Amino acid sequence: MTRRRGERPKIGFRAAALATVSAVVVGLGGAGVATADPTGGPAGKQWTATHDGKQKYAGVSVRTDVPIRMSDGTVLRADIYRPADARQRPVDTRTPVIVNLTPYTKLLTSLGSAVIQHPVLEPFLDQVLSKVRLTGPLRGGDDLIGTIRDKGIKTMMVDDNLIRSGYTQVVVDVRGTGFSQGTWDVFRSREQMDTIEVINWAAAQKWSDGKIGMAGVSYSGINQIYAAKMAPKALKAIFPVEPGGDLIRDVVAPGGGLGVGFLPLWLTLVNATKLIPNVASMMNGTFDWKWLADRMSEPGTFYPQLLAALTVPDIASIPPNLKSLLDESSDERSSWLSGADKITVPTMIYGGWFDLFTNSEVRMFNRIPLPPNKKKLIMGDGYHITIGAGQFGKNGTPSRLDVLQRAWFDKWLKGIDNGIDEYGPVVLQNVGDNWITADQFPRAGMHRQRLYLSDRRSGTAPYAVRDGSLTTAKVNSRGRLTVSPGLATVCSRDSAQQTIGVVAVLPVCSDDARFSERDALTFTSAPVATTRSVSGYTNVRLNTVLDATDGYWVATLNDVAPDGTSKVLASGQLVASLRDYDAAKSEFAPNGDVIDPHLTMTLSARQPVTPGRPVTVDIGLLPTEAKIRAGHRLRVDVFAMNLPRGLPLRPLLNASQLRPQHIRLDPDRPSFVNLPISKPLG
């Protein structure tokens, strides 16, 4: 039986937070009421016109490699972009400052910004890409193109129109990366202190009016969250795109499955680009020899931990640097938590249902203690690399991200009454479908319903390991359903998610689970008679039996179309021995079912399984928003492996022996899915 720490609250944190939000909305009247149109209506058109129209200043002045000395003596390097006249001379006017800290070297930011905003190349790309719409077998690549076509990529770069409108932008290499001195600290306490010191430095410069905003994607979104929780006085607004807020549970090892499809390539990218020297300084005789010494002292940050996670044979052999990641009191674990409940600056979060950080994006929004006019959530259905694709402020879609970013900063850094505070506050894309607005997430009006896993054949998935059913009534049959670890998930929605959208180029993998379901137990409902919505968190409870002391369970919730297409809406995974969850931090349905288990994820809480003995596991799925149309079915898939999204840490993988795994059918201990649905089935 899973050990539940702490007394279960009668009402979960999210329910209480949503009740508070609803009360605030009523109290604020028009200020916090959701704008029904995801485009923003007339205000949204004006945001686009303001961003794309003629700007106050003609040019942009750039100073490169400006030194910023930290309190410990380490020198970070920054590029400073200021509004300028037509001859590129910076203006004397003090302006708000947008700070961006990146580990990917500001050199790439500079080059990328120059390419996508080149006076000849940009209009050419706009003209060409506006006519490109990939369909058929190549349709998965359209969102990748859309990141450029729909300007989402500008939130990764320096937006010249933003600068020319009267902002200064400071792009800084975080310590140990790019041209900055030091060793890469990967969001730990020293790096977070650097962020605050950079903000204070920027606020004190003669070209600054003292008001600071923060912008950026992914890593540069995460450090915005960490900065905001520390509440530096000068920080007035943040616009984090695809930020994480609990890195262990988000991407390092969600459910205990090491993110092997992302982490090795990501660590290689940062560790490789941090070795690119400042060639200009080599040419003019100002090369920073301390930079070189720092790089040589630690050329492969976090490689030792990754290697240990993949190779250490047993628990006793885990080295201290890896053990700290499995200890709640370590600097990494404590530093890598969002602290969203401490954020008091206006925050607009952009994320996606299949982003790397879906786990945190919704959670952080709900925990930020601000009224709806000061916090916003936009959730698309894309991947980490398909930033803002398909968003252009028309046909029911939100405005482009560069447009929303400008409107957000204009409101909170310049005091311009442009209506962005009345937008949303929650703007959601139904998976593979239309955009909607809401006052909260999960949306109001959902009912919690159990659907039971049955061995009765549905006739919809004859290719699966076992084609079972989802039923509204408890199952009376007894027996075992067995699934073995397989490799079919290399072509799956989870594979696309873990590879930041690269696998999504192949729609046969990302848009249809029938290939991966060849390694799965499937459980499918009868067709729904009328269209329904699913909004929120889903949990799959399995009554399991293992042949070893550990195992690896993966579950997905799918929408099955009449033609058989099986579209994944949400997924989750769990190493059986790490099934312990903290009840005080988890969410429960009115009937007592856990619906969002907060896994403890520590070695001290590990519970090896006794082979042959039934054990209950709860697999929390990522949040989702989806429309189940009439004639479609719901399906739960259960796997015993999930490469490349997850691979159990090597000691746990060894303990599993990759043996077959079993769901035990028992009317007294049923297996079921508890999901949030607008109208219960049956």
Side-chain angles (χ1 to χ4, degrees), residues 246-359:
D246 188 346
L247 301 189
I248 291 291
R249 295 178 179 86
D250 288 343
V251 70
V252 175
L258 186 70
V260 293
F262 172 73
L263 290 176
L265 294 176
W266 175 67
L267 288 173
T268 298
L269 170 66
V270 180
N271 281 303
T273 56
K274 77 181 187 183
L275 298 176
I276 298 174
N278 187 336
V279 176
S281 70
M282 297 170 70
M283 300 295 290
N284 63 24
T286 61
F287 183 72
D288 186 348
W289 292 100
K290 185 177 186 309
W291 173 91
L292 181 60
D294 289 339
R295 292 301 182 274
M296 293 302 99
S297 70
E298 190 178 271
T301 303
F302 264 87
Y303 275 142
Q305 291 93 322
L306 177 63
L307 185 63
L310 292 171
T311 61
V312 169
D314 51 52
I315 297 293
S317 303
I318 294 178
N321 60 359
L322 178 57
K323 193 172 291 185
S324 68
L325 299 181
L326 300 169
D327 178 358
E328 284 183 305
S329 64
S330 69
D331 182 35
E332 291 90 349
R333 289 291 288 268
S334 58
S335 296
W336 291 351
L337 295 176
S338 69
D341 56 337
K342 300 177 182 177
I343 294 177
T344 58
V345 298
T347 301
M348 180 179 282
I349 295 174
Y350 175 85
W353 301 126
F354 306 105
D355 182 34
L356 290 172
F357 302 110
T358 307
N359 171 65

Side-chain angles (χ1 to χ4, degrees), residues 349-672:
I349 295 174
Y350 175 85
W353 301 126
F354 306 105
D355 182 34
L356 290 172
F357 302 110
T358 307
N359 171 65
S360 285
E361 288 156 352
V362 168
R363 206 178 302 276
M364 289 188 294
F365 170 79
N366 283 331
R367 289 185 177 274
I368 294 173
L370 289 172
N373 63 324
K374 291 186 177 180
K375 68 172 184 176
K376 309 292 178 184
L377 175 70
I378 303 175
M379 293 293 289
D381 76 341
Y383 301 91
H384 198 62
I385 202 172
T386 57
I387 307 161
Q391 287 180 225
F392 41 86
K394 299 177 182 178
N395 301 328
T397 71
S399 298
R400 302 191 323 253
L401 282 184
D402 57 336
V403 169
L404 291 171
Q405 177 178 262
R406 163 76 183 277
W408 192 246
F409 289 142
D410 278 355
K411 170 63 182 178
W412 300 112
L413 298 185
K414 292 185 174 181
I416 298 173
D417 187 12
N418 55 17
I420 191 70
D421 53 327
E422 296 183 14
Y423 184 57
V426 176
V427 184
L428 310 168
Q429 185 175 12
N430 284 293
V431 174
D433 212 304
N434 65 314
W435 287 83
I436 58 174
T437 61
D439 288 326
Q440 61 187 48
F441 183 86
R443 289 192 297 117
M446 297 299 128
H447 303 269
R448 301 301 315 190
Q449 183 177 21
R450 279 188 181 187
L451 297 176
Y452 296 90
L453 277 57
S454 166
D455 60 349
R456 180 171 56 83
R457 297 185 185 276
S458 73
T460 62
Y463 48 81
V465 174
R466 180 59 186 262
D467 167 30
S469 297
L470 279 182
T471 67
T472 57
K474 284 187 178 181
V475 178
N476 293 321
S477 59
R478 297 179 182 270
R480 282 187 178 186
L481 301 177
T482 300
V483 62
S484 299
L487 298 177
T489 53
V490 297
C491 178
S492 67
R493 174 85 88 173
D494 269 9
S495 178
Q497 183 260 8
Q498 182 68 190
T499 59
I500 65 175
V502 173
V503 171
V505 172
L506 303 172
V508 68
C509 296
S510 59
D511 295 352
D512 191 346
R514 281 180 289 185
F515 180 89
S516 60
E517 285 171 346
R518 285 166 171 78
D519 277 349
L521 303 172
T522 66
F523 304 90
T524 311
S525 75
V528 300
T530 58
T531 298
R532 290 159 166 81
S533 290
V534 173
S535 179
Y537 290 84
T538 297
N539 185 75
V540 176
R541 169 166 287 192
L542 300 179
N543 181 28
T544 70
V545 174
L546 298 180
D547 298 334
T549 58
D550 218 335
Y552 184 34
W553 293 101
V554 180
T556 66
L557 177 68
N558 300 14
D559 171 7
V560 181
D563 67 359
T565 300
S566 181
K567 179 175 64 179
V568 172
L569 306 178
S571 68
Q573 56 188 22
L574 176 68
V575 174
S577 66
L578 297 179
R579 63 192 179 277
D580 175 68
Y581 61 83
D582 186 338
K585 297 179 180 178
S586 301
E587 292 286 334
F588 295 84
N591 69 349
D593 288 349
V594 64
I595 54 177
D596 182 20
H598 183 87
L599 298 177
T600 308
M601 294 292 295
T602 62
L603 282 179
S604 61
R606 182 172 179 262
Q607 302 172 40
V609 175
T610 301
R613 181 177 298 176
V615 61
T616 298
V617 298
D618 285 291
I619 308 170
L621 309 191
L622 294 173
T624 193
E625 182 72 38
K627 189 177 292 184
I628 312 301
R629 295 191 177 274
H632 287 229
R633 304 168 185 254
L634 285 169
R635 174 179 291 167
V636 168
D637 290 340
V638 177
F639 301 85
M641 184 54 69
N642 200 21
L643 281 171
R645 186 184 176 201
L647 182 70
L649 303 178
R650 184 58 181 272
L652 311 185
L653 184 67
N654 288 352
S656 78
Q657 302 176 49
L658 295 176
R659 300 288 297 275
Q661 301 176 185
H662 318 283
I663 295 177
R664 180 176 179 176
L665 299 177
D666 183 345
D668 298 324
R669 298 179 64 177
S671 296
F672 58 84

